Amino acid sequence: MEFPKTFAWGAGASSYQIEGAAFDGGKGLSIWDKFCQSPGKTYHGQRGDVACDHYNRFEGDVALMKEIGLQAYRFSVSWPRIMPKGYGKVNEEGLDFYDRLVDSLLAANIDPWITLYHWELPWQLHLEGGWLNPSISDRFAEYAAVVANRLSDRVTRWITINEVQVIVGLGYGSGLHAPGLKLSLHEMLQAGHHVLLAHGKGTQALRANAKQPILIGGAPVGVVARPLTESPEDIEAARMATFDVTPPKSTEPAEMQNGIWNSAWWMDPMFKGEYPESGLDAYREHLPEMADGDMDIIHQPLDFLGANIYHGRTIKSDGEGGYSVLNMPDGSPLTTMGWDVVPDVLYWGSKYLYERYGKPIVVTENGTAVTDIPDENGEIIDSARCSYLKEHLKGFARASSEGIDCLGYFHWSIMDNFEWDRGFSQRFGLVYVNYQTQERIMKQSAKEYRDIIASNGALLSGKSSVQV
Ligand code: GCO
């Protein structure tokens, strides 16, 4: 169960979730700063004002990454920390922070992978229409150029936008995420179209300003489907379910209602240069306005597909060309987020995505939230996360062994952090954070990940601990 010698073993985080210094260092306000200040929007009104104080503690955090033996670290740059209003004036202090972070990572032999947008829209841009403003993709491209100009002499791995489905579905649909809007499906799809345009123009700006050859990918998410059995019928049914775009259903939870939580509507434009027929049919009453040439802008050459895969739906063929979605067996493991633990999703997700899009797969996020409590010795023996990590990596190793081009794996997350509307109630980290003292404690999972990395995955061979 080894991976290619060039495989990137990493972990990830995002700026708003760990940096803190929300009002320091010349940073402008983001929609998340304002959202968290609105009563009732986040768990116990918690905010990312301080978070893990990574802005001031990044050297110690990089030292922990080095101790774990990370070869790569995926982090995001905060747009309002670079351009406080989202355009125009550049905040040199913000650029200096990422400059120092990159140098600290390189000194530790850790390859920086940068995500340009992980949900921190500058507040001023929101006031000017946010993702509904047709010019926002140009603003994003200007921002991308500024970051590439400063960092691409050292950073060669880039991700444009994280999870367009969440930006639109939760930020503009259910209102669960900043900026908390509850818009029509048409408006959601229009905002989403502008996000895709931003991905395209951002990719062009990165390539135009790169100081050396770089690799670029997107990191959409989608609900991966896995077959109940490995019969050809169930495998085909799960493939269909992975890329289905279904019409709006009033019975689904708000953010799912419009089928917005799918893969193909978002990945096909990026990787194939077209919206999928099933989506054009499902959304025919709600389609976004599109200009000629939009798809050519969106469909930029990309070097990898970044997939955020945490869990998946279990699919059984109905024997008539359709499928049914099954619940997991009673008592199956759940994370504190309420997500099923279904380790083979990294195999099936990688397989289906690779077959459809033909791009190397980077698992840009995979991880689990569990209740981590220091024991009497101050240690955190997070057995559920150790098992989750090993079993999911076995799934990815199976994909690699079958010839799927697996480029890298970023565990989510390097450290416990601010989980958006869930505040600090969810712990995803390999490293425990005491938010009152900012003490960091390496969990058992970090130590086991260290050993797996050192073996390039060979340690994964052995008896499965999770029977699904
Ligand atoms: C996401 C985001 C992360 C989350 C993580 C756990 O995928 O939702 O990229 O910021 O914190 O996924 O929910």
Side-chain angles (χ1 to χ4, degrees), residues 27 194 343 372 396 439:
K27 173 180 167 291
H194 293 154
D372 292 319
F396 204 31
E439 180 194 13

Side-chain angles (χ1 to χ4, degrees), residues 330-349:
D330 296 355
S332 294
L334 280 179
T335 74
T336 54
M337 290 286 281
W339 297 347
D340 290 323
V341 177
V342 203
D344 61 5
V345 287
L346 283 202
Y347 168 67
W348 295 105

Side-chain angles (χ1 to χ4, degrees), residues 77 79 114-118 140 143-144 147 158-161 202 206:
V77 171
W79 189 346
I114 284 183
T115 303
L116 285 172
Y117 187 76
H118 203 125
F140 181 75
Y143 156 63
V147 179
W158 295 83
I159 291 157
T160 51
I161 289 176
L206 285 172

